[in-house]
Amino acid sequence: MSVKQIANLIADDLDRVEEAIATHLESDVSFISEVSNYVLSSGGKRIRPVLLILCARLGNYVSERVYDLCTVIEFIHTATLLHDDVIDNAHLRRGNPTVNARWGNEISILIGDYLYAKAMELSLQDKDHLVMETVARVTKEMAKGQVIETLKERDLSISEDDYYRIIALKTAALFEGSCTIGSLAAGLSPQQRAHVSAFGYHLGLAFQMADDTLDFVAPEATLGKPVNNDLKEGKITLPVIMALPLATEAEVALIDAYLQNPDATDTDFQAVIDILNQYGTLQSTMAKAQAQVEMAKAQLVDFPPSTALETLLTLADYVTTRNV
Amino acid sequence: MSVKQIANLIADDLDRVEEAIATHLESDVSFISEVSNYVLSSGGKRIRPVLLILCARLGNYVSERVYDLCTVIEFIHTATLLHDDVIDNAHLRRGNPTVNARWGNEISILIGDYLYAKAMELSLQDKDHLVMETVARVTKEMAKGQVIETLKERDLSISEDDYYRIIALKTAALFEGSCTIGSLAAGLSPQQRAHVSAFGYHLGLAFQMADDTLDFVAPEATLGKPVNNDLKEGKITLPVIMALPLATEAEVALIDAYLQNPDATDTDFQAVIDILNQYGTLQSTMAKAQAQVEMAKAQLVDFPPSTALETLLTLADYVTTRNV
């Protein structure tokens, strides 16, 4: 099953999610709708809403709730992108100019704030206290993860533990939250919910590890943004972290020089990649991502067979086999 | 009664608010506590918590709830300051370097996001759905108001209606929200609550109008930040809006030139002030602010006499008589 086939399986649901997103973006300030629509319809994969819906389909799926909850998750995700792009001074996302590139940093910050608040407001409409708490907690954890990431920028002493802590907070928390909220909407038992949440958590870790590998190897056209944003911005991810203790002093110095040089060239970058390839850390990062996928899938062993379950397991594999 | 005397009247409450703020700033990431403490203990007037407490004292004051709710309001206020300072590229606030000046834009944005989310999480602990809704709605309205303000930057066609809409959203909403939440915590009747909310709304308008006047006339040492940030940043406030239809073409051109010139000098600024003084619009803005104070106070006529009531009325007058 490809991700396209997965999407086809829940195509009607996804159409309804798009409708819900469009409805909740309506504002008496047309500019807010315009900018929000621009960023929200720029070809995001909607992987978090898909997870939420599929987890809800493991239980008593109630469609009316689910679409609004998908909107909550997608608004939070989009708000973080809007703030990230200001922080990273990014100019392209998914092949399009970023909001900050097109309308300026203030608009990107403020529409991000607006979407956070709107997400919170929508989560309250659900009236399920656990849903609201999950939304607020996840939002807090994402900010916390990004703070820690910022503190560790260009710091070669960053450990694997630091890395896992960062990606758990900045990425896995929202994957876990999407699955938790899906299972809450579907009335799964607390025990089932714990498994579904853990599934989302491990999948989120795998997703970020795959992302961090793709940042080194995917061609720019595939990513829709410049290749190797991360290291240029001083973000030291697992492929580099694992290479550092294996590398020679000269190699470490080369990586350090790359991190400190805002004018580093493609040739300089290729030299870094050569080091990672020499120690095989791009492959070993993907292997660790695949191990997280297996841990995710293992959480679902006690659920009875269903299309939703099968689709979730396929989606899990997609996370490490995608090229974008 | 001076604001110091007002503060003395509820000094114990305010001490407890500071304790609650400090408690809720504790984080396993010590840097988050450090930065949050830096900005939250930099001499803010705590006017919104004071309003919340006094409104709660109009009814059945329950201290345990009130301190946490004050924290919610102050976190939201602080989050907007952190994002504002990035947007405005501000270097000083209350006489101290801003967070963005000291730790960079990314930290200011992210700690702002963290405080928003933490405020939302705390508001959920209150378990009163109306409190949560108020918090989410106010946060959304503040972002909306700032978006509209940004759209109207350097636009001399901005109307008085535009101005009132902007300050209603960006400032009055949180004043109103603080009073609403105080009255919810105190179990006031819906009718009493409507009056208390309207009191906060009008007071918020007056506060912002006074702020916008002080931005032209207060000495830098009093403000703790450079005088006339607003017009330099392209923000056209009521004193200018009211002067424009009265001014000659040459005077309008002079104001426009000031708005377009990032290198405008103090002499250029004095020329703008001379125009405002010629048409008396700094005074008329303050008169309109005072009229809002009277509208605020009129909302409280049916409340029985109490120290809290008297203090609220005094606080209302302070809003237009303060010099900082």
Side-chain angles (χ1 to χ4, degrees):
Chain A
M1 209 161 17
S2 72
V3 77
K4 194 157 183 148
Q5 288 170 307
I6 294 170
N8 281 340
L9 274 175
I10 56 166
D12 290 344
D13 282 319
L14 282 174
D15 284 347
R16 295 286 302 273
V17 170
E18 298 305 321
E19 277 170 36
I21 287 175
T23 302
H24 294 303
L25 282 186
E26 279 167 27
S27 166
D28 54 337
V29 182
S30 61
F31 179 77
I32 290 179
S33 315
E34 185 196 340
V35 178
S36 309
N37 264 310
Y38 175 81
V39 57
L40 269 149
S41 50
S42 68
K45 293 183 283 292
R46 306 277 191 252
I47 189 165
R48 296 161 193 79
V50 169
L51 278 174
L52 193 158
I53 289 169
L54 290 172
C55 291
R57 284 204 179 279
L58 292 177
N60 302 310
Y61 177 74
V62 182
S63 64
E64 293 69 28
R65 279 184 76 177
V66 163
Y67 306 132
D68 281 352
L69 292 172
C70 285
T71 305
V72 169
I73 294 293
E74 206 62 3
F75 279 9
I76 291 173
H77 172 55
T78 306
T80 61
L81 297 186
L82 287 169
H83 287 184
D84 279 0
D85 284 345
V86 172
I87 290 169
D88 298 341
N89 196 23
H91 293 280
L92 277 181
R93 178 173 290 279
R94 299 172 193 144
N96 297 311
T98 55
V99 168
N100 49 310
R102 193 162 157 183
W103 287 285
N105 282 347
E106 51 252 89
I107 291 300
S108 201
I109 294 174
L110 292 172
I111 300 287
D113 290 348
Y114 177 86
L115 288 175
Y116 274 132
K118 185 81 191 174
M120 219 53 72
E121 200 176 48
L122 273 174
S123 81
L124 297 181
Q125 283 175 20
D126 190 69
K127 306 265 180 192
D128 181 330
H129 207 80
L130 283 173
V131 166
M132 304 175 208
E133 276 176 0
T134 303
V135 169
R137 179 178 50 75
V138 164
T139 308
K140 192 187 71 180
E141 287 183 352
M142 290 169 83
K144 192 196 265 190
Q146 288 192 282
V147 169
I148 303 173
E149 185 175 53
T150 304
L151 293 176
K152 292 287 177 188
E153 269 175 17
R154 294 188 174 74
D155 176 358
L156 287 182
S157 74
I158 184 173
S159 66
E160 284 196 39
D161 282 352
D162 292 329
Y163 173 78
Y164 284 114
R165 186 176 184 209
I166 290 166
I167 69 171
L169 291 165
K170 80 166 186 172
T171 306
L174 191 57
F175 274 71
E176 179 183 353
S178 304
C179 295
T180 304
I181 289 171
S183 65
L184 283 165
L188 296 185
S189 72
Q191 199 195 346
Q192 286 178 311
R193 205 162 69 219
H195 283 299
V196 169
S197 298
F199 168 81
Y201 173 77
H202 289 293
L203 202 61
L205 292 181
F207 184 89
Q208 188 59 53
M209 292 157 84
D211 235 36
D212 293 342
T213 309
L214 284 169
D215 192 63
F216 284 101
V217 296
E220 181 160 339
T222 312
L223 283 182
K225 62 181 182 184
V227 76
N228 187 236
N229 267 324
D230 292 345
L231 203 58
K232 262 194 192 137
E233 289 156 11
K235 283 178 196 151
I236 304 166
T237 56
L238 195 54
V240 175
I241 295 171
M242 288 199 295
L244 285 169
L246 308 170
T248 64
E249 261 183 57
E251 287 165 339
V252 172
L254 190 147
I255 293 172
D256 196 27
Y258 184 86
L259 276 168
Q260 309 299 338
N261 179 10
D263 304 317
T265 64
D266 285 354
T267 317
D268 297 329
F269 180 55
Q270 190 54 51
V272 174
I273 298 218
D274 289 345
I275 297 171
L276 304 186
N277 280 332
Q278 186 181 338
Y279 299 107
T281 55
L282 290 166
Q283 291 87 328
S284 42
T285 299
M286 282 309 281
K288 281 174 189 269
Q290 190 57 41
Q292 290 295 333
V293 169
E294 299 308 324
M295 281 189 253
K297 286 154 76 177
Q299 294 292 333
L300 303 183
V301 287
D302 288 336
F303 283 86
S306 68
T307 309
L309 179 62
E310 197 203 335
T311 314
L312 276 172
L313 297 173
T314 308
L315 185 64
D317 282 324
Y318 157 74
V319 158
T320 45
T321 54
R322 70 201 165 99
N323 63 359
V324 61
Chain B
M1 206 160 23
S2 72
V3 76
K4 194 157 183 146
Q5 286 170 308
I6 294 171
N8 281 341
L9 273 176
I10 55 165
D12 290 344
D13 282 318
L14 282 174
D15 284 348
R16 294 287 300 274
V17 170
E18 297 305 321
E19 276 170 37
I21 287 175
T23 302
H24 294 302
L25 282 185
E26 277 167 28
S27 166
D28 54 337
V29 183
S30 62
F31 178 76
I32 290 180
S33 315
E34 184 195 341
V35 178
S36 308
N37 264 310
Y38 174 79
V39 58
L40 268 148
S41 50
S42 67
K45 292 183 285 291
R46 305 277 190 252
I47 188 165
R48 296 162 193 80
V50 169
L51 278 173
L52 193 157
I53 290 168
L54 290 172
C55 290
R57 284 205 180 278
L58 292 177
N60 300 310
Y61 178 76
V62 183
S63 64
E64 293 69 25
R65 279 184 76 178
V66 163
Y67 307 131
D68 280 352
L69 292 172
C70 286
T71 304
V72 168
I73 294 292
E74 207 62 5
F75 278 11
I76 291 173
H77 172 57
T78 305
T80 62
L81 298 185
L82 287 169
H83 287 184
D84 280 359
D85 284 345
V86 172
I87 289 170
D88 299 340
N89 196 22
H91 293 280
L92 277 181
R93 178 172 290 277
R94 299 173 193 142
N96 296 313
T98 55
V99 168
N100 49 309
R102 190 160 159 186
W103 286 286
N105 282 346
E106 51 251 88
I107 291 301
S108 201
I109 293 174
L110 293 172
I111 301 287
D113 290 348
Y114 177 86
L115 288 176
Y116 274 131
K118 186 81 193 176
M120 219 53 71
E121 200 176 50
L122 274 175
S123 81
L124 297 181
Q125 284 177 18
D126 189 69
K127 305 267 181 193
D128 181 331
H129 208 78
L130 283 173
V131 166
M132 302 174 209
E133 277 176 359
T134 303
V135 168
R137 179 177 50 75
V138 164
T139 308
K140 191 187 71 179
E141 288 183 350
M142 291 169 82
K144 193 198 266 191
Q146 288 192 281
V147 169
I148 302 174
E149 185 174 53
T150 303
L151 293 177
K152 292 287 177 188
E153 269 176 17
R154 295 189 173 73
D155 176 357
L156 287 182
S157 75
I158 184 174
S159 67
E160 283 196 38
D161 281 352
D162 292 330
Y163 174 76
Y164 284 114
R165 186 176 184 209
I166 289 166
I167 69 170
L169 291 165
K170 80 165 187 173
T171 306
L174 192 57
F175 274 72
E176 179 184 353
S178 304
C179 294
T180 304
I181 290 172
S183 65
L184 283 166
L188 295 186
S189 71
Q191 200 195 344
Q192 287 178 311
R193 207 164 66 218
H195 283 298
V196 168
S197 298
F199 168 82
Y201 173 77
H202 289 292
L203 202 63
L205 292 181
F207 183 88
Q208 188 59 54
M209 291 155 84
D211 235 36
D212 293 342
T213 309
L214 285 169
D215 192 63
F216 285 100
V217 298
E220 181 159 340
T222 312
L223 284 183
K225 62 182 180 184
V227 76
N228 187 236
N229 266 325
D230 291 344
L231 204 58
K232 263 195 191 135
E233 289 157 10
K235 282 177 198 152
I236 303 167
T237 56
L238 196 53
V240 175
I241 294 171
M242 289 201 293
L244 286 169
L246 308 171
T248 64
E249 263 184 54
E251 287 166 340
V252 172
L254 191 147
I255 293 173
D256 196 28
Y258 183 86
L259 277 168
Q260 309 299 339
N261 179 10
D263 304 319
T265 64
D266 285 354
T267 317
D268 298 327
F269 179 56
Q270 190 54 51
V272 173
I273 298 216
D274 289 345
I275 296 170
L276 305 185
N277 280 332
Q278 186 181 338
Y279 300 107
T281 55
L282 290 166
Q283 292 88 327
S284 41
T285 299
M286 282 309 281
K288 281 173 188 271
Q290 190 56 41
Q292 291 295 333
V293 169
E294 298 309 324
M295 280 189 254
K297 286 154 76 176
Q299 294 291 334
L300 303 183
V301 286
D302 289 335
F303 283 86
S306 69
T307 309
L309 178 63
E310 196 202 337
T311 314
L312 276 172
L313 297 173
T314 307
L315 186 65
D317 282 323
Y318 157 74
V319 159
T320 46
T321 54
R322 70 203 168 96
N323 62 359
V324 61

